[in-house]
Amino acid sequence: MNFELMAPCHFGIETVLKREIYDLGYEIKKVEDGHVFYEADEDGIVVSNLCLRTAERVLIVTGRFCAKTYEEFFQGMKNIPWEKYLPSDAAFWVTKATSVKSRLYSTTDLQRVGKRAMVARMQGIYHMDRFPETGSDYPVRIFIYKDQVTVTIDTSGDALHKRGYRKETGKAPISETIAAALIMLTPWKADRILADPFCGSGTIPIEAALIAANIAPGLYRHFAAEGWTNLIDKKLWTDERKWLREAVDTDVDTRIYGSDIDPDMIRIANENARRAGVKKLISFKRLEAGDFRMKDPYGFIITNPPYGERLSEKDELPELYSKLFEAYRRLDKWSLFVITAWEDATRCLGGKPSKNRKIYNGMLKTYFYQYMGPKPPKVTSDGKN
């Protein structure tokens, strides 16, 4: 069976997610703010959950309709062929409803009416007054924009940024999906040096190591759709995981560094890297950002420094960012990539960046400043530059 799938992501990284989906071999239908729509079969649901690094979830689109009243919403929900997706013992509920610029805006009412409509439809199909809901979970997510309703079932369960390796974090951790997107927005490859002098709990270096070692981000976690045997053969999950494990290469020759001034963060980063299976690929060290040094050329700094969320920290930011820039200037032919919500950051980072991209971390608008260094010379077949 073919499905229309919707992959939500953080605003600003749609192009990265689109490229990921395209590289997996699936046809992109359309791209909207924070969403990529594409078509795939059952195997595509499995592969998407296991392999997408920048998506937040993988959702099956079950229906679309216009609703300006709760009666129209009820009828639209009831008209969806839920029997195609939900067995009679399914545990189903509207886990989340979002509404923007629409007449229907009460999320609790949308959840309540949505569930009631689903029950009404299934009662007529299965000829049951009550449903045991003892089977697998089928969480429903509803999106309404300008009275246009999109109804989906969540195949992922826990959000895809929950890889399973990050048990402890720092004060303002960057999400795994954003960290992966930042890396994928740069020209970095496993044979180039990558350093994060504000590594915190290690998310950016760990995501880089997962990419370098070809470790699928969802390889070691569970998904809601694994219990959907009415739609997806369990063998698809088993086979895909087997192939992905065989593709892992933790002996890859790569140089990834993480440093932080806080020794507790270095301890946490090492533990997170160990759980992710990439500890031997990353060197973590306690170090002030301004003290970072390396002789080798053509490396990358990709980092998420403090933004000054607390008023008391704002005064420290100019010195902090200036030290980062001075450390960067000492490096030979390196590139610098900084994500921050501090709008005056470029004054301390050497002026106008080569590129600047807005990325929304939840409701927080951040800027991904990109200072591009020169490309390394090409190596010819005889090993000469």
Side-chain angles (χ1 to χ4, degrees), residues 62-63 65 70-83 113-125 142 149 151:
T62 60
F65 54 88
Y70 281 106
E71 178 58 28
E72 290 177 346
F73 176 70
F74 178 89
Q75 293 301 330
M77 288 290 292
K78 186 179 177 184
N79 288 336
I80 293 172
W82 292 107
E83 64 277 6
V113 175
K115 169 78 179 208
R116 187 159 55 84
M118 293 172 69
V119 169
R121 168 79 184 203
M122 292 176 65
Q123 283 175 333
I125 297 296
I142 296 170
V149 183
V151 185

Side-chain angles (χ1 to χ4, degrees), residues 43 46 54 92 130 149 195 273 326 366:
D43 191 55
V46 174
T54 61
F92 60 97
R130 298 177 63 86
V149 183
E326 288 304 313
T366 63

Side-chain angles (χ1 to χ4, degrees), residues 311-328:
L311 197 60
S312 60
E313 296 173 345
K314 285 281 188 185
D315 294 340
E316 301 172 7
L317 294 184
E319 182 180 3
L320 195 67
Y321 281 68
S322 295
K323 285 183 176 180
L324 171 64
F325 179 65
E326 288 304 313
Y328 164 63

Side-chain angles (χ1 to χ4, degrees), residues 24-172:
L24 289 177
Y26 303 115
E27 182 184 351
I28 306 294
K29 307 299 287 186
K30 63 177 177 176
V31 179
E32 297 177 349
D33 287 347
H35 301 96
V36 179
F37 295 84
Y38 61 108
E39 190 172 296
D41 58 9
E42 297 92 330
D43 191 55
I45 294 174
V46 174
V47 172
S48 297
N49 274 294
L50 289 168
C51 296
L52 290 178
R53 299 183 187 276
T54 61
E56 288 300 309
R57 299 178 182 277
V58 177
L59 310 173
I60 297 174
V61 178
T62 60
R64 290 188 177 89
F65 54 88
C66 177
K68 298 179 181 179
T69 67
Y70 281 106
E71 178 58 28
E72 290 177 346
F73 176 70
F74 178 89
Q75 293 301 330
M77 288 290 292
K78 186 179 177 184
N79 288 336
I80 293 172
W82 292 107
E83 64 277 6
K84 283 176 53 179
Y85 308 100
L86 277 58
S88 60
D89 68 343
F92 60 97
W93 71 102
V94 180
T95 186
K96 188 172 183 180
T98 59
S99 179
V100 178
K101 298 179 181 178
S102 300
R103 289 172 174 81
L104 307 180
Y105 55 84
S106 169
T107 57
T108 54
D109 287 340
L110 289 166
Q111 289 173 298
R112 176 179 55 80
V113 175
K115 169 78 179 208
R116 187 159 55 84
M118 293 172 69
V119 169
R121 168 79 184 203
M122 292 176 65
Q123 283 175 333
I125 297 296
Y126 290 116
H127 307 292
M128 298 168 63
D129 292 330
R130 298 177 63 86
F131 293 92
E133 301 201 43
T134 54
S136 297
D137 290 347
Y138 293 75
V140 173
R141 290 177 173 263
I142 296 170
F143 305 83
I144 308 180
Y145 180 68
K146 292 184 177 180
D147 302 325
Q148 298 300 312
V149 183
T150 302
V151 185
T152 69
I153 307 178
D154 183 4
T155 73
S156 303
D158 286 338
L160 294 182
H161 74 260
K162 296 183 179 180
R163 320 285 206 219
Y165 66 76
R166 201 165 73 170
K167 303 298 183 184
E168 294 183 78
T169 63
K171 284 191 301 184

Side-chain angles (χ1 to χ4, degrees), residues 128-371:
M128 298 168 63
D129 292 330
R130 298 177 63 86
F131 293 92
E133 301 201 43
T134 54
S136 297
D137 290 347
Y138 293 75
V140 173
R141 290 177 173 263
I142 296 170
F143 305 83
I144 308 180
Y145 180 68
K146 292 184 177 180
D147 302 325
Q148 298 300 312
V149 183
T150 302
V151 185
T152 69
I153 307 178
D154 183 4
T155 73
S156 303
D158 286 338
L160 294 182
H161 74 260
K162 296 183 179 180
R163 320 285 206 219
Y165 66 76
R166 201 165 73 170
K167 303 298 183 184
E168 294 183 78
T169 63
K171 284 191 301 184
I174 192 169
S175 82
E176 294 89 333
T177 46
I178 291 182
L182 299 184
I183 297 163
M184 295 165 75
L185 282 166
T186 77
W188 178 80
K189 301 295 180 188
D191 61 351
R192 305 277 294 275
I193 303 168
L194 184 148
D196 179 1
F198 294 97
C199 74
S201 55
T203 308
I204 291 176
I206 290 170
E207 289 296 319
L210 292 173
I211 293 170
N214 200 31
I215 299 175
L219 186 55
Y220 301 111
R221 55 157 284 177
H222 175 78
F223 304 96
E226 288 188 65
W228 298 2
T229 53
N230 62 313
L231 293 177
I232 304 172
D233 189 336
K234 275 189 172 293
K235 191 173 184 296
L236 290 178
W237 296 97
T238 303
D239 288 347
E240 191 61 37
R241 281 195 170 97
K242 179 177 180 291
W243 296 328
L244 291 172
R245 287 192 182 98
E246 290 172 353
V248 170
D249 180 14
T250 54
D251 293 323
V252 61
D253 185 14
T254 191
R255 298 170 66 186
I256 301 171
Y257 302 90
S259 54
D260 200 282
I261 193 172
D262 186 344
D264 282 340
M265 288 294 98
I266 298 303
R267 174 187 61 79
I268 290 170
N270 272 305
E271 279 298 303
N272 289 341
R274 179 187 61 78
R275 278 187 289 267
V278 294
K279 189 174 186 300
K280 73 175 186 177
L281 299 180
I282 309 171
S283 174
F284 288 110
K285 184 177 181 180
R286 182 178 180 271
L287 194 69
E288 282 199 33
D291 293 336
F292 178 78
R293 286 173 169 81
M294 189 160 288
K295 293 181 180 179
D296 301 70
Y298 302 111
F300 291 75
I301 290 178
I302 306 176
T303 193
N304 173 44
Y307 305 162
E309 294 92 339
R310 298 176 182 175
L311 197 60
S312 60
E313 296 173 345
K314 285 281 188 185
D315 294 340
E316 301 172 7
L317 294 184
E319 182 180 3
L320 195 67
Y321 281 68
S322 295
K323 285 183 176 180
L324 171 64
F325 179 65
E326 288 304 313
Y328 164 63
R329 284 183 62 187
R330 290 193 299 266
L331 298 167
D332 183 17
K333 303 180 183 69
W334 278 50
S335 299
L336 173 65
F337 300 85
V338 179
I339 185 170
T340 179
W342 186 41
E343 298 194 4
D344 290 331
T346 55
R347 288 195 297 107
C348 304
L349 291 175
K352 186 178 180 180
S354 311
K355 293 182 180 179
N356 174 24
R357 177 185 289 263
K358 290 179 184 177
I359 296 174
Y360 282 81
N361 187 357
M363 298 303 294
L364 180 65
K365 181 170 68 174
T366 63
Y367 302 88
F368 188 42
Y369 297 120
Q370 306 171 53
Y371 295 86

